[in-house]
Amino acid sequence: MQYVIYGIASFFFLYGIILLAEGFYTTSAVKELHGEFKTTACGRCISGMFVCLTYVLGVAWLGVFGFSAVPVFMFYNIWSTCEVIKSPQTNGTAGVEQICVDVRQYGIVPWNAFPGRICGSALENICNTSEFYMSYHLFIVACAGAGATVIALIHFLMILSSNWAYLKDASKMQAYQDIKAKEEQELQDIQSRSKEQLNSYT
């Protein structure tokens, strides 16, 4: 699992650099639409490929964000239950042992797992460990990181889609301008030939 995390982190680092470079390229291309810049079919295909790949990764990371929210919710419920046990109203009474947390309801462990629920002093002992709070904070960081990744991918997807649309329109405009220039050149040639013929008759 540790190597999988390293691999995912390295992949997204490289993918972020590639997206940044592609964004700079297409943005500079869009800025030069009225100059001598001409879009190529290969460039438009690469932009479309990045749009599709970013969309797929955004959907995947949206699922990761949803799954990472489950342990945060579970740890928050356990922590709030421990705070109820530690409160002066319930501390030292017989009802402490009746306060329980059933981890089977979160889908982390199967329903036939034993013990599936933790009650009273055993739950309080778990909450007093440093590992519990460390895991809780790490799951919060993981959920926040997944959410930030989803926001970044959505942001890149909007930019890539707009650049791809601009490049597509630019290619059509460039083709139209080429045809128009060719027709104007042909019209000028016809006019010059007609003038030459008129001069020859006169």
Side-chain angles (χ1 to χ4, degrees), residues 144-165:
T149 304
V150 170
I151 293 172
L153 286 173
I154 291 173
H155 182 69
F156 267 117
L157 184 61
M158 291 189 301
I159 293 172
L160 291 173
S161 300
S162 64
N163 284 339
W164 184 75

Side-chain angles (χ1 to χ4, degrees), residues 2-156:
Q2 184 178 2
Y3 290 119
V4 169
I5 293 173
Y6 289 160
I8 292 174
S10 302
F11 168 75
F12 269 91
F13 179 75
L14 293 175
Y15 188 67
I17 292 175
I18 293 171
L19 281 181
L20 188 64
E22 204 270 342
F24 275 123
Y25 170 74
T26 52
T27 303
S28 62
V30 167
K31 288 180 181 178
E32 296 177 5
L33 287 179
H34 301 288
E36 297 180 354
F37 178 81
K38 292 185 179 180
T39 59
T40 60
C42 181
R44 293 194 300 274
C45 289
I46 290 174
S47 296
M49 182 194 69
F50 276 120
V51 169
C52 295
L53 185 59
T54 305
Y55 177 78
V56 171
L57 290 174
V59 172
W61 272 97
L62 190 62
V64 172
F65 175 69
F67 282 116
S68 63
V70 173
V72 173
F73 178 70
M74 182 186 72
F75 273 88
Y76 173 75
N77 285 339
I78 295 172
W79 174 79
S80 60
T81 306
C82 290
E83 291 297 318
V84 171
I85 293 174
K86 294 177 183 178
S87 64
Q89 289 81 7
T90 57
N91 195 10
T93 62
V96 173
E97 295 299 326
Q98 297 178 356
I99 300 174
C100 301
V101 171
D102 193 348
V103 295
R104 294 173 295 183
Q105 64 183 348
Y106 301 106
I108 306 298
V109 294
W111 279 104
N112 57 0
F114 182 81
R117 50 187 291 180
I118 306 169
C119 302
S121 59
L123 179 61
E124 187 176 4
N125 291 333
I126 291 175
C127 291
N128 289 331
T129 59
S130 61
E131 290 83 2
F132 174 79
Y133 286 100
M134 178 63 71
S135 301
Y136 183 38
H137 294 151
L138 289 177
F139 277 121
I140 291 174
V141 170
C143 184
T149 304
V150 170
I151 293 172
L153 286 173
I154 291 173
H155 182 69
F156 267 117

